[in-house]
Amino acid sequence: MRVVALVSGGKDSTFNMMLCAAYGHEVVAMANLHPPDGDAAPLTTPGAGARAPASRVEEMDSFMYQTAGHALIPMLAECAGLPLFRQPIRGTAVQTGLDYAAPPEHLPTAAAAGAHDTAGGGAGAGVGTDEVEDLLLLLQAVLAAHPDVRGVSVGAIASDYQRVRVESVCARLGLTALAYMWRQDQKALLDRMIDAGVDAVLCKVACLGLTPRAHLGRSLADVRPTLLALNAQYGCHMCGEGGEYETMTRWCPLFGARLQLSGTSAHVLDEGGGFAPVAVLRVAEAHVETVAASERERWACVLRSPVAPLFEARARAGDAACASQGVEALAKHRAHGPVWAAFDVERAMPRERGDVAGDVDDEISVCAHAVGCWMSVAVSVAAPAGARGGSGFGCAASAGTAHGAGGAHGAERAAAAVGAALRAAACALRARGGAGLSDAIVLKLYLSDMSHYAQVNSAFAAEFTGCAPAARAALAAPLEIGGALLRLEILARRSAAGPRGADAPPRAHKRVMHVQSISEWAPRMIGPYAQAAWVVAADVNSARAPPATADGGAGAAPAAVAPSAAEDEDEECRPSAEAVTQPPPTLGYLAGSLGLYPPLMTLAPGGAAAQAAQAFANVEAVLDSVGRSRADALSVTLFTATPAPPGVDERARADSDAHALRGCIEATSQLRAWTELASDGGRPPPLRATLRVRALPMRAACEALVDSVGRDAGGAGAGEVHGADCAPDSWHWREFAEEVLMDEAHGQIDETHGASAPCADGHGGGGGRAVLHVRALWRESSDGARSAQLSVAQLWACLVWRRDSDTPSAEAKPRAVPLARLLPAVAASAQRLARAHGGRADGTLLPLHVSAAYAVDLGPGAEGAMLAGDARWPSAHSLDGGGAPSVAFVPVECVVEPSDCCVVVCVLLARG
């Protein structure tokens, strides 16, 4: 795409321009924001082509922008041979919280603020307007001159404060932020810059150990040993993300000319008590010097991505083993430490809806329940009468047509249905003491036809306008077997802004990570959903940390940021990686992760195994960014899909199905390896399953979903607060396991409950018997009420077929067991779990939500047997009057892991 580069003149914005070129983008212009008086004093020409940059303002304080050395920016654009757009910074830091909301319509807009020109004479956003709006005006000027620009190069590394604001502006203008350096390890990143030929000198110092006389004007390579020493001794940021120093680029391999500086001197702005003086570099003269073509050719190799060739080689060779090399290369650039995304949950509540169904005439069923601070909702929208029933495996919907619901009308119906489902879910959440969709933590969306995904996503976004995003997984399944057009499952928390009092239910805060920029870190979230959503108890101190700083068109943040009056206690804040002032959240949920190569946002080549490896690498990146690891995973589900292309004959479809099943098995091997590594150190392995579904977004082969993550509040994240209520040893993994023979537990299953296939009763099925393997896993603290609010357990019951020893494998096929007979067995196990392991003075484990994934490839009539009877949670097992949980059933093509399994029932239990 064609890209405009936001530049401050420093190393970060310059190197990100190089990465944009390496990933195939074309940088067509540069854009810069500068102090309001920076254009008042013209450049003088003392002679011989040299120019003395002059300005009445050397630097200004800004939460967003680096301005040291701003007078040299026009000459830097001359070196790059690119047009330069400039905008004076007229606004101030009005919104100083870690989130940013676009101003109301009555505030100055581009039309009201005045015209722009490339010389920097624009009027600016105006007094009383946030300085972020100056960036909006600048980019509007760029688009007026270059309407084909689609991306914005941003040099953000660790500053969420900066990134969130740039993403806000880009979203309003329909642009994509390209922040390839986001969350990279700063030591490795600095070395990459030096090795790539970025020639930059320090133009400002503001750190103990960096002195004006010794370090101003020195190159990155020269000061690297000093920075390493300061990092080891004081924890200083290698790339200056804490405001330790700022740089001015003289040359990089993208430039055709070099900026030569002469007559430099140090100008001290603040003595810093004699220990850490703040000083800037003054330049008496500067001129542009052409670089020889041979030197540019010598550096041409660095303009290629350091990672992409590994994936290209794998695609040519078809060698899935190269996937691990790519993952390792990506991992080298990952940063460490907790970080949260910004969003104000309670500030903008969802709209009240009088009409829930809207344009959907079909039946909407809602099942909701609340336990403690948790709420769950399951919504099902019925399919049109003519689209119900049919076979799920290898059916026409696999090719993109959902049984009469295809085409434009089908897409419109699906979009209307998801809007109606979300409105119904919001009403159910509010009815149980919540605030609506803003309370959603994780959401699972099941469609019958993935070809409707674009329209469904637009409708989804419309309903989440003004709401904090939730982690989300989306997939297509043969829902028409159960008569559904779509299904929705939501896990939510009761917001901390709700009513308090002795009789009020417990409340919890919500944190989200929502990165929309393209980077080398992890796939961006382009919709109204987040990479991760977390929950922390409402009584945890929520003091905020100052935002980190960054170069690249955005720079020095103040030393401390106080919460603004507009921010409430439940703001979606995220401390910087080095300045965490609150314990990290205790429970978290990740969005479904596709096997996308983050910098290019394309699926990793090499088949299902390669995509699974990439998907788990993306999961690791998100976990790492919040101070977690795979050892904190509670459960992992791997969805696999390889839909046959439309129009193929039955033989070709069968070949495609066989190939897809092989891909499922290969992807499952990646799942097993990942979860086995997670169990290192003696902890129980995470709960895991591989489910083959109809289709996934982007025609992906797999999607990894880490359902929940728990970690003790005194974990390994940098700067975490350790207190009496969050000691590292106060949290423990707990496990429950048992095995139930279905015939012994519930007797013979016969046709009185609708079974039209041979029954798994141990007598009439032949070849074996159905066994229910039950395993539950949770992590909890023994120290009091805060953990009681958050503690949840996942119980997985897998119905597997145990073959008789004398029965050939081919004849011992698993048989269908009606859910009406299966759920009582699962409920009894949950009851035994709660009574044996969940009893506590401050509450017991109560069932909150039940979801069942059942295979539809068990043979003729199996679907009817699976759905036979009253498939609801039995009221006899509601546990201490806790009520019946919400229940959702989803058909899948087959269950690959565990082997010989036909049903996977997941029961989420929470402290009541």
Side-chain angles (χ1 to χ4, degrees):
M1 72 176 73
R2 293 168 71 83
V3 172
V4 58
L6 294 181
V7 296
S8 63
K11 61 180 177 19
D12 299 344
S13 54
T14 302
F15 188 59
N16 203 72
M17 288 175 61
M18 294 178 61
L19 291 175
C20 287
Y23 288 115
H25 304 297
E26 179 186 3
V27 181
V28 298
M30 298 168 70
N32 169 255
L33 291 111
H34 59 86
D37 291 334
D39 57 330
L43 293 174
T44 60
T45 53
R51 286 171 284 177
S55 172
R56 287 198 291 267
V57 179
E58 294 197 73
E59 187 190 29
M60 66 176 290
D61 289 332
S62 170
F63 281 38
M64 268 289 289
Y65 311 113
Q66 172 188 325
T67 56
H70 65 88
L72 294 169
I73 299 297
M75 282 184 279
L76 196 66
E78 187 178 339
C79 292
L82 294 172
L84 174 65
F85 293 80
R86 304 197 79 189
Q87 165 68 38
I89 305 169
R90 305 290 188 188
T92 58
V94 176
Q95 297 186 46
T96 57
L98 292 175
D99 70 324
Y100 185 78
E105 294 180 356
H106 69 271
L107 289 181
T109 61
H116 286 68
D117 56 47
T118 57
V127 177
T129 302
D130 199 290
E131 61 184 351
V132 175
E133 300 308 299
D134 289 311
L135 175 59
L136 176 72
L137 299 177
L138 175 62
L139 292 180
Q140 285 175 330
V142 173
L143 289 173
H146 298 274
D148 55 349
V149 164
R150 294 292 179 268
V152 179
S153 173
V154 185
I157 298 176
S159 173
D160 284 288
Y161 182 93
Q162 173 200 104
R163 176 190 56 77
V164 166
R165 283 155 174 75
V166 173
E167 289 177 351
S168 171
V169 172
C170 287
R172 283 183 275 165
L173 297 177
L175 300 173
T176 299
L178 305 175
Y180 289 112
M181 301 180 296
W182 178 250
R183 299 295 301 156
Q184 290 191 25
D185 179 78
Q186 293 188 37
K187 292 180 182 178
L189 181 58
L190 184 64
D191 288 341
R192 285 181 70 188
M193 293 179 184
I194 296 172
D195 294 341
V198 175
D199 179 14
V201 297
L202 271 62
C203 65
K204 179 182 178 180
V205 293
C207 170
L208 179 66
L210 294 178
T211 63
R213 183 180 299 274
H215 299 106
L216 277 178
R218 299 281 299 278
S219 69
L220 289 176
D222 290 340
V223 299
R224 181 182 179 277
T226 302
L227 296 175
L228 282 171
L230 293 177
N231 174 264
Q233 188 171 2
Y234 303 114
C236 294
H237 300 247
M238 291 291 293
C239 289
E241 289 300 289
E244 293 88 346
Y245 69 92
E246 293 172 1
T247 60
M248 171 56 63
T249 300
R250 296 185 297 193
W251 185 78
C252 81
L254 278 181
F255 296 173
R258 186 187 303 273
L259 181 62
Q260 297 287 9
L261 310 178
S262 58
T264 59
S265 60
H267 175 62
V268 177
L269 303 177
D270 187 337
E271 293 291 346
F275 296 100
V278 178
V280 296
L281 184 70
R282 279 185 172 173
V283 179
E285 292 185 358
H287 68 276
V288 174
E289 182 180 279
T290 302
V291 174
S294 58
E295 184 174 359
R296 296 192 65 191
E297 291 174 0
R298 183 169 63 90
W299 289 98
C301 62
V302 305
L303 298 182
R304 283 182 54 82
S305 166
V307 180
L310 294 173
F311 289 85
E312 294 168 2
R314 182 182 63 209
R316 290 192 301 268
D319 182 8
C322 291
S324 61
Q325 299 179 35
V327 169
E328 291 172 2
L330 285 174
K332 292 179 181 178
H333 311 311
R334 299 263 160 77
H336 301 280
V339 58
W340 322 112
F343 211 103
D344 188 345
V345 176
E346 315 301 345
R347 181 176 297 172
M349 296 300 178
R351 304 182 297 276
E352 291 291 339
R353 311 265 185 179
D355 177 18
V356 173
D359 298 328
V360 179
D361 297 327
D362 302 297
E363 178 185 355
I364 298 180
S365 62
V366 180
C367 185
H369 189 50
V371 174
C373 66
W374 298 98
M375 301 178 289
S376 70
V377 179
V379 183
S380 180
V381 180
R388 302 179 187 181
S391 172
F393 189 79
C395 63
S398 296
T401 304
H403 294 280
H409 179 70
E412 292 174 0
R413 172 178 289 277
V418 76
L422 287 170
R423 291 192 291 273
C427 290
L429 291 173
R430 286 193 289 269
R432 283 154 183 80
L437 294 179
S438 284
D439 282 341
I441 301 298
V442 62
L443 185 150
K444 298 177 185 178
L445 177 63
Y446 305 95
L447 306 173
S448 58
D449 190 347
M450 190 54 73
S451 67
H452 301 156
Y453 184 70
Q455 294 85 349
V456 165
N457 222 24
S458 297
F460 193 97
E463 297 300 324
F464 264 85
T465 300
C467 300
R472 191 187 82 175
L475 55 92
L479 302 179
E480 66 279 352
I481 293 173
L485 178 64
L486 67 84
R487 285 178 181 158
L488 188 67
E489 298 178 42
I490 297 178
L491 176 64
R493 54 87 209 228
R494 285 191 174 104
S495 62
R500 303 297 178 91
D503 298 329
R507 305 278 170 174
H509 293 290
K510 173 181 174 181
R511 304 285 184 263
V512 298
M513 170 180 286
H514 188 209
V515 178
Q516 301 175 74
S517 300
I518 293 180
S519 68
E520 292 181 351
W521 165 69
R524 69 168 180 151
M525 297 287 104
I526 57 176
Y529 43 93
Q531 280 92 350
W534 303 80
V535 177
V536 72
D539 58 348
V540 173
N541 174 34
S542 59
R544 295 170 179 83
T549 65
D551 174 353
V561 179
S564 65
E567 295 173 312
D568 60 42
E569 63 177 336
D570 203 26
E571 177 194 351
E572 297 310 304
C573 64
R574 69 271 173 262
S576 68
E578 289 75 22
V580 179
T581 58
Q582 64 179 24
T586 310
L587 293 172
Y589 296 81
L590 272 60
S593 177
L594 302 178
L596 289 169
Y597 177 42
L600 301 180
M601 287 297 291
T602 57
L603 293 170
Q611 288 190 33
Q614 183 64 56
F616 284 116
N618 296 337
V619 168
E620 291 271 6
V622 176
L623 289 175
D624 178 73
S625 295
V626 293
R628 304 294 181 263
S629 71
R630 71 181 76 188
D632 301 307
L634 181 58
S635 62
V636 186
T637 304
L638 183 66
F639 299 105
T640 65
T642 308
V648 301
D649 56 29
E650 290 302 319
R651 180 174 181 179
R653 187 177 300 281
D655 292 341
S656 176
D657 290 338
H659 174 73
L661 189 56
R662 288 195 298 270
C664 291
I665 296 173
E666 293 173 356
T668 300
S669 66
Q670 297 285 343
L671 169 67
R672 290 171 179 167
W674 196 83
T675 54
E676 286 169 2
L677 287 173
S679 62
D680 287 350
R683 65 142 287 182
L687 304 168
R688 70 187 185 198
T690 301
L691 307 176
R692 183 181 171 191
V693 298
R694 173 170 287 166
L696 295 168
M698 300 182 66
R699 295 183 66 85
C702 63
E703 179 177 13
L705 179 64
V706 178
D707 284 336
S708 62
V709 177
R711 183 70 179 267
D712 67 77
E720 294 173 0
V721 176
H722 295 260
D725 64 340
C726 57
D729 60 353
S730 66
W731 285 73
H732 309 278
W733 285 106
R734 304 191 67 179
E735 190 174 19
F736 169 87
E738 68 177 11
E739 183 178 283
V740 179
L741 294 178
M742 291 300 295
D743 58 324
E744 294 178 2
H746 297 284
Q748 183 173 350
I749 301 174
D750 54 37
E751 293 187 357
T752 61
H753 290 87
S756 57
C759 302
D761 59 1
H763 305 287
R769 61 180 57 194
V771 179
L772 196 65
H773 290 292
V774 180
R775 182 167 176 253
L777 191 64
W778 71 101
R779 199 173 191 176
E780 67 176 25
S781 175
S782 57
D783 57 7
R786 185 174 74 89
S787 61
Q789 293 186 39
L790 297 173
S791 180
V792 297
Q794 279 197 358
L795 181 146
W796 282 26
C798 300
L799 186 65
V800 300
W801 186 255
R802 178 175 293 171
R803 300 182 179 92
D804 292 340
S805 58
D806 57 349
T807 302
S809 175
E811 298 179 10
K813 186 174 184 178
R815 305 301 185 184
V817 173
L819 289 174
R821 287 299 184 93
L822 179 63
L823 287 184
V826 178
S829 291
Q831 192 174 51
R832 286 190 290 272
L833 161 66
R835 290 177 176 172
H837 299 273
R840 288 168 51 124
D842 52 10
T844 188
L845 287 170
L846 301 176
L848 174 65
H849 178 69
V850 180
S851 59
Y854 62 91
V856 298
D857 66 339
L858 301 180
E863 298 90 350
M866 194 62 63
L867 291 173
D870 186 11
R872 293 184 299 180
W873 190 262
S875 58
H877 299 280
S878 59
L879 294 176
D880 301 329
S886 59
V887 181
F889 306 114
V890 178
V892 296
E893 306 284 10
C894 66
V895 179
V896 181
E897 168 84 1
S899 59
D900 294 330
C901 179
C902 55
V903 187
V904 178
V905 182
C906 177
V907 182
L908 185 65
L909 300 104
R911 288 286 178 192

